[in-house]
Amino acid sequence: RKEVEQDPGPFNVPEGATVAFNCTYSNSASQSFFWYRQDCRKEPKLLMSVYSSGNEDGRFTAQLNRASQYISLLIRDSKLSDSATYLCVVNRGGTSYGKLTFGQGTILTVHP
Amino acid sequence: NAGVMQNPRHLVRRRGQEARLRCSPMKGHSHVYWYRQLPEEGLKFMVYLQKENIIDESGMPKERFSAEFPKEGPSILRIQQVVRGDSAAYFCASSPDPGSGEKLFFGSGTQLSVL
């Protein structure tokens, strides 16, 4: 079983749609959680951190359920520029420093 | 303040040759991480280095791969006797401290193609 699992998609949605991605992780010792974005296999870029209380950044909302070991990302009012691969990422924290575990990514295509 | 610089951007090697990938961290960053992304897969951690020290190489293949981060100069990921399965994107990231995902800055990557 992969340590971080995501539905690879692809998700094809029209502009303005709301889309949700899910992710599960297997290591209960994981302490930090993130969503990264990767365009056309360029470098991954941090989209947002994910906190237990849930957090929002503009059109993006992230949720974490530690009991279920489940992470989600909601994108509202999708834009063409949101087309990318979204990577669910976990970190064990503590002495695990920048050793991140990436999911394989969910591909999103937003069309006119 | 320049970001994480990786070179070359693209590297083509024939089977059996050596590949050397370079990474210059952001100014003030002394922690370097290498990740590999095989086609159709997610990024996988390879190695974590601080200046002159390998801290964690648990993700490095046992043979042919080595990494260094000398006191002066960039970090180098070296792959000896490359095989087709080494074809991948290799990303370097740096941080100012051991940190976590919030403090990692990634370079643009080196795309290695083995013929």
Side-chain angles (χ1 to χ4, degrees):
Chain A
R1 182 186 173 190
K2 294 180 181 177
E3 194 166 338
V4 179
E5 296 212 52
Q6 296 181 247
D7 179 350
F11 286 68
N12 294 293
V13 303
E15 277 185 287
T18 295
V19 61
F21 304 140
N22 303 318
C23 166
T24 57
Y25 61 96
S26 61
N27 191 327
S28 59
S30 299
Q31 296 188 21
S32 304
F33 309 89
F34 311 93
W35 284 100
Y36 273 70
R37 169 190 170 133
Q38 186 176 32
D39 294 85
C40 299
R41 291 180 68 84
K42 294 182 179 178
E43 74 272 25
K45 294 182 179 177
L46 178 65
L47 180 65
M48 59 195 303
S49 301
V50 187
Y51 304 117
S52 297
S53 54
N55 50 298
E56 187 175 304
D57 182 1
R59 298 181 292 106
F60 299 84
T61 301
Q63 297 276 355
L64 167 64
N65 184 319
R66 285 185 184 270
S68 302
Q69 297 182 195
Y70 170 93
I71 307 164
S72 66
L73 177 68
L74 183 76
I75 305 176
R76 292 181 299 278
D77 188 24
S78 299
K79 312 291 184 192
L80 295 176
S81 57
D82 293 334
S83 297
T85 298
Y86 289 83
L87 307 171
C88 178
V89 183
V90 305
N91 179 297
R92 295 186 197 177
T95 56
S96 294
Y97 36 80
K99 185 177 180 179
L100 305 180
T101 302
F102 287 78
Q104 70 175 98
T106 298
I107 299 171
L108 171 66
T109 301
V110 181
H111 57 81
Chain B
N1 187 12
V4 178
M5 304 299 293
Q6 288 189 248
N7 65 81
R9 289 294 306 275
H10 300 277
L11 181 62
V12 179
R13 284 288 179 265
R14 296 188 182 281
R15 281 179 295 170
Q17 291 184 320
E18 178 179 289
R20 292 171 70 87
L21 288 61
R22 289 178 291 278
C23 169
S24 296
M26 285 182 72
K27 187 176 180 180
H29 289 194
S30 58
H31 301 258
V32 167
Y33 312 83
W34 285 92
Y35 287 80
R36 176 167 69 171
Q37 186 172 29
L38 294 168
E40 310 303 325
E41 293 191 17
L43 279 80
K44 296 282 194 298
F45 168 82
M46 298 182 76
V47 62
Y48 162 41
L49 311 103
Q50 292 180 33
K51 282 286 186 181
E52 299 185 275
N53 290 302
I54 296 175
I55 307 301
D56 182 344
E57 55 182 348
S58 59
M60 290 277 270
K62 294 288 184 282
E63 298 176 345
R64 302 186 298 106
F65 285 72
S66 62
E68 62 176 8
F69 189 16
K71 186 176 180 181
E72 302 291 338
S75 175
I76 305 287
L77 179 68
R78 182 182 177 206
I79 311 172
Q80 294 178 289
Q81 300 176 319
V82 296
V83 300
R84 290 219 171 107
D86 297 332
S87 296
Y90 291 83
F91 292 100
C92 166
S94 73
S95 68
D97 53 46
S100 71
E102 289 176 325
K103 298 182 182 179
L104 244 63
F105 295 85
F106 281 84
S108 299
T110 293
Q111 180 64 52
L112 172 65
S113 298
V114 180
L115 304 180

